[in-house]
Amino acid sequence: MPRRIEIELTSARDDGTWTWRAAGAKQPKGVLDAKLLYEGAKVGDVVKAEAEIELDGITVLAVLAPKEKKEESGRLAVLGPDRKDPPPITSSLVAKRPGDRRDRPPRDRDGRGDRPPRDRDRPGGDRPPRDRDRERSPRPPRDRQPAEGRDGDRGRPRPDRGPRPDGQRRERTPRPDRAASDAPPKPKPKRLSPGSTHRRAVLDSLAPEQRAVADQLVRGGMPALRQSIATQNAQAKEAGTPEIKAEPLLAMGEDLLPRLKVAEWMDRAEAAAAIVEEIGLRDLRSVVASAESVARDDQTRLLAGTLREALTRRVKADEEAWVAEIGTALDDNRVVRALRVSARGPEPSSRVPAELATRLAEAASAAMSPDTVADRWITMIDAVSASPVRRSVKPVGLPADAPASLAEAAKAAAGQIPALAPLLGLKMPPPPGGGRKVPPKPTPPPPPPPPPATEAAEAAEEVAH
């Protein structure tokens, strides 16, 4: 997903591009299109930009214009002498005054000093103690939590991440299994929020005895109506009153249910048609699929046809954008990006065109060569295994000093990429999914041995007699 970084514009080229680098550093750096810049951009500007960070490099998607400093207004000016130089610090000595605390005599050990005794200190001057003089029970100590447990996890010790080089920031490495997008993030599709205009119109047109049945059908269809009838009959049986007959009510429900379904579909279809370009494809597809059972008149057929055309148009546009994104990634020599995009088609039935699939397989095969580093090889194996061209990819060769992790990854993916088996010395690649073990078939018991010749002859004689 896009990240916001701070960049510095370094130069403007004649071909309509600008060079940039990270603000305050020499690396990373790159090139961006001049169309992304704001009006009045100049060399040396430090701005914030939306960028995609991938293994193939950094792609700037948008550049935000710097905020202009607002002139402060509405303040009152203070008129008076100009006090640029503050007055020096002065001090004054104060003479000792009579009655100062330092002139008091020291107190005794009991803390009374020379003050006159109070009534309770004199003989016979005892008085009942006040509430504040009564002996209070000691308060139990508070159960204080250690510093690690306060405020959730804020006090927990953080794991040691190792020493950090001086003057360098730890950059966040993007996960290889998350494919970033070259285009700005798409807006979140709107949820379908149908109204109740047609449903209320049907309910208002019913008779009072039909309205109660229709309310149960709106809540849960015929199962809700049967449950309501069973509950009322159980209550009537406990109260000793006659039970209601279920057959007329169920017949009425069967007659009202199609009208309510059409009204409910009309509310959903009109809500989908109002935001047909912004609604999610899943919601739009559900409305179109349910139209086959309710489209009975000209109005419903026309609305269903409009929604079906919009669904076809949007699916086709998504597939064209998907194919174009794969081609753009290949043009920019971003093979991993192209493989990951090809694995995520807009529809389950989406297929990569034959010409583009051949081009993608050739680029992936060339990228898996002995000159490629081990980490890049492992990333390519992961991307090719999930792509639709995995059986057409033929790697050039493994690195000469391939580590054990690369050999294990290649062996595990040999079922998805058959061309890896000859490179690993395997006669036949294992099946995809790690080679699921199939239990052996049970051996049938052997047939019984034939009877001896003498017993067979005796049995034939008995049959003859």
Side-chain angles (χ1 to χ4, degrees):
M1 59 186 302
R3 289 185 56 190
R4 181 167 293 184
I5 61 175
E6 196 171 21
I7 64 174
E8 178 184 356
L9 303 178
T10 54
S11 65
R13 295 180 174 179
D14 297 336
D15 57 352
T17 59
W18 285 63
T19 60
W20 61 270
R21 66 181 179 184
K26 294 182 179 181
Q27 295 289 342
K29 60 184 179 179
V31 181
L32 58 87
D33 192 354
K35 297 179 181 180
L36 301 176
L37 296 179
Y38 49 91
E39 185 178 359
K42 60 183 182 299
V43 176
D45 287 356
V46 178
V47 294
K48 293 182 179 180
E50 296 285 343
E52 289 289 350
I53 302 177
E54 300 178 347
L55 296 176
D56 298 328
I58 300 177
T59 303
V60 177
L61 305 178
V63 179
L64 306 180
K67 296 182 179 180
E68 298 180 357
K69 295 183 179 180
K70 297 181 180 180
E71 297 182 358
E72 298 179 356
S73 60
R75 290 192 176 187
L76 300 177
V78 179
L79 302 179
D82 188 9
R83 299 181 178 179
K84 294 183 179 180
D85 299 331
I89 300 176
T90 59
S91 61
S92 59
L93 301 178
V94 180
K96 186 189 301 183
R97 293 174 295 177
D100 194 8
R101 182 176 297 179
R102 290 172 292 183
D103 296 334
R104 295 178 183 177
R107 292 190 175 186
D108 300 338
R109 295 187 64 180
D110 56 359
R112 296 178 181 178
D114 297 336
R115 60 180 175 83
R118 289 183 291 185
D119 295 338
R120 63 180 181 180
D121 298 331
R122 297 170 183 169
D126 295 339
R127 59 178 177 81
R130 292 178 293 179
D131 293 340
R132 65 181 183 182
D133 296 333
R134 295 175 182 174
E135 183 178 0
R136 296 181 179 179
S137 59
R139 180 180 298 179
R142 295 177 60 184
D143 186 11
R144 297 184 177 272
Q145 299 178 354
E148 298 85 60
R150 298 180 184 175
D151 299 336
D153 298 337
R154 188 175 61 183
R156 292 183 179 179
R158 300 180 63 182
D160 186 14
R161 299 183 179 179
R164 181 181 298 180
D166 297 337
Q168 295 185 9
R169 294 181 59 186
R170 180 179 290 109
E171 296 293 340
R172 185 177 180 181
T173 305
R175 291 178 55 179
D177 57 341
R178 292 186 178 180
S181 176
D182 292 338
K186 296 181 180 180
K188 190 176 182 180
K190 292 185 177 181
R191 297 291 300 274
L192 181 61
S193 299
S196 58
T197 304
H198 295 274
R199 186 178 61 185
R200 289 185 179 277
V202 172
L203 294 177
D204 294 340
S205 63
L206 299 177
E209 61 274 9
Q210 294 178 330
R211 181 63 182 267
V213 176
D215 289 340
Q216 296 298 329
L217 294 176
V218 170
R219 293 179 182 177
M222 293 299 295
L225 179 61
R226 294 189 182 93
Q227 181 65 30
S228 177
I229 295 174
T231 302
Q232 293 183 18
N233 287 336
Q235 294 176 357
K237 186 176 181 179
E238 293 179 358
T241 56
E243 300 180 1
I244 59 177
K245 295 183 178 181
E247 290 77 10
L249 297 178
L250 294 177
M252 186 184 301
E254 294 287 350
D255 185 36
L256 295 176
L257 187 59
R259 297 174 57 186
L260 293 173
K261 285 186 176 181
V262 172
E264 182 181 1
W265 182 85
M266 287 292 296
D267 290 333
R268 298 180 68 229
E270 290 182 354
I275 54 174
V276 69
E277 300 297 336
E278 302 174 355
I279 189 177
L281 287 179
R282 180 180 298 178
D283 293 338
L284 181 58
R285 189 177 287 106
S286 66
V287 176
V288 173
S290 60
E292 298 180 359
S293 59
V294 297
R296 303 300 181 186
D297 53 359
D298 296 339
Q299 182 181 5
T300 54
R301 291 194 186 98
L302 179 61
L303 186 55
T306 303
L307 295 177
R308 191 176 294 108
E309 292 176 0
L311 177 61
T312 304
R313 184 181 66 254
R314 289 190 56 184
V315 170
K316 184 177 180 181
D318 289 349
E319 288 185 351
E320 292 177 354
W322 174 61
V323 173
E325 188 175 0
I326 297 175
T328 303
L330 288 177
D331 294 339
D332 297 341
N333 197 21
R334 302 169 64 185
V335 184
V336 176
R337 170 66 180 161
L339 291 170
R340 296 195 185 282
V341 173
S342 66
R344 296 181 289 105
E347 292 291 320
S349 59
S350 300
R351 296 293 182 269
V352 181
E355 182 180 356
L356 186 61
T358 303
R359 182 183 171 192
L360 182 60
E362 293 176 354
S365 301
M368 303 174 74
S369 64
D371 299 334
T372 307
V373 296
D375 293 342
R376 179 73 173 181
W377 245 95
I378 296 175
T379 304
M380 288 295 301
I381 290 175
D382 181 47
V384 172
S385 300
S387 68
V389 298
R390 55 183 177 272
R391 296 192 174 274
S392 303
V393 175
K394 297 180 180 179
V396 179
L398 292 170
D401 52 348
S405 58
L406 174 57
E408 293 177 359
K411 187 175 181 180
Q416 288 84 6
I417 311 174
L420 285 175
L423 300 179
L424 299 172
L426 302 176
K427 296 182 180 180
M428 182 180 298
R436 183 173 58 90
K437 294 183 179 180
V438 180
K441 296 182 179 180
T443 304
T454 55
E455 295 181 1
E458 293 177 358
E461 291 178 358
E462 292 179 0
V463 172
H465 290 294

